[in-house]
Amino acid sequence: MDVDVLLAATGIFTLRVVGNMITTVRLVNIVRNQKLAALLLGALESLVFALALGSVVSNLDNLWNLSAYCFGYAIGGYLGMLLEQRLVHRFVSVLIISPLYGPQIAAAIRDAGYGATETMGRGARGEVETVTVVVGHREVNKVIGIAHEVDEHAFVMLDELRSISRGYFRMARPEQR
């Protein structure tokens, strides 16, 4: 195996990983209506794509380059999702429905330092209590865990929010991150 072939394949792989990570972050910027960031990332993404594709298309018989291109794309998508989770702070609305334990769930959530809004509703089998909590996406599992400690059969729905304004939010302390 020639060292130059491996170096070229490694370069293509690296370009595709970086390129697809940029694509993922750019798409998040588009969804969040961050036009300038999406524009700049799009230009960088195009450059990386052209460099990687040019290296592969110039020699389609080279399986190392072709494999590096394909696997770099796949791994770049995965790493892009991980990067997006780290960089982008999203808010999620957690709706918890419990026919019997709504007030206890709301109290437990408040005791944990979160805001909770209680609402009465009518389900298929009668009265239910709904508890709505808005938290950062990293705290969703903790809130669901609190709800299920009180009522293991509580129905939980999640909605990612595009934006929020005002309200009660637990202040993140360094030890909670």
Side-chain angles (χ1 to χ4, degrees):
M1 168 96 22
D2 189 4
V3 173
D4 290 336
V5 171
L6 284 178
L7 284 175
T10 302
I12 291 167
F13 176 83
T14 303
L15 285 171
R16 286 311 293 147
V17 168
V18 170
N20 210 9
M21 289 172 66
I22 293 170
T23 300
T24 304
V25 175
R26 181 182 62 84
L27 291 174
V28 170
N29 284 307
I30 288 171
V31 169
R32 300 209 174 270
N33 203 27
Q34 297 171 336
K35 294 176 183 78
L36 182 60
L39 174 92
L40 296 174
L41 287 171
L44 183 59
E45 173 190 357
S46 296
L47 174 64
V48 171
F49 176 77
L51 292 172
L53 186 61
S55 299
V56 172
V57 172
S58 65
N59 186 2
L60 288 174
D61 293 336
N62 186 328
L63 289 178
W64 285 102
N65 288 359
L66 197 55
S67 297
Y69 185 88
C70 295
F71 286 108
Y73 180 82
I75 291 171
Y78 176 76
L79 293 176
M81 288 187 293
L82 294 178
L83 179 64
E84 182 268 338
Q85 287 176 340
R86 290 277 191 208
L87 293 180
V88 178
H89 186 71
R90 300 180 316 267
F91 287 97
V92 177
S93 175
V94 181
L95 179 67
I96 305 157
I97 301 172
S98 175
L100 301 174
Y101 302 104
Q104 294 90 335
I105 291 171
I109 288 171
R110 288 184 189 114
D111 287 345
Y114 300 99
T117 302
E118 298 175 68
T119 310
M120 291 300 297
R122 183 169 306 281
R125 295 191 178 107
E127 297 274 322
V128 295
E129 174 102 12
T130 63
V131 179
T132 305
V133 186
V134 175
V135 294
H137 71 279
R138 293 183 187 114
E139 298 176 280
V140 168
N141 289 335
K142 184 171 183 182
V143 170
I144 293 171
I146 292 167
H148 283 153
E149 282 177 15
V150 176
D151 180 1
E152 64 184 11
H153 300 293
F155 179 71
V156 178
M157 292 188 303
L158 306 175
D159 276 321
E160 186 170 330
L161 305 175
R162 287 184 53 112
S163 65
I164 58 171
S165 175
R166 300 189 183 155
Y168 175 82
F169 297 98
R170 181 163 102 165
M171 300 306 288
R173 292 183 282 286
E175 67 273 5
Q176 293 176 332
R177 289 185 185 180

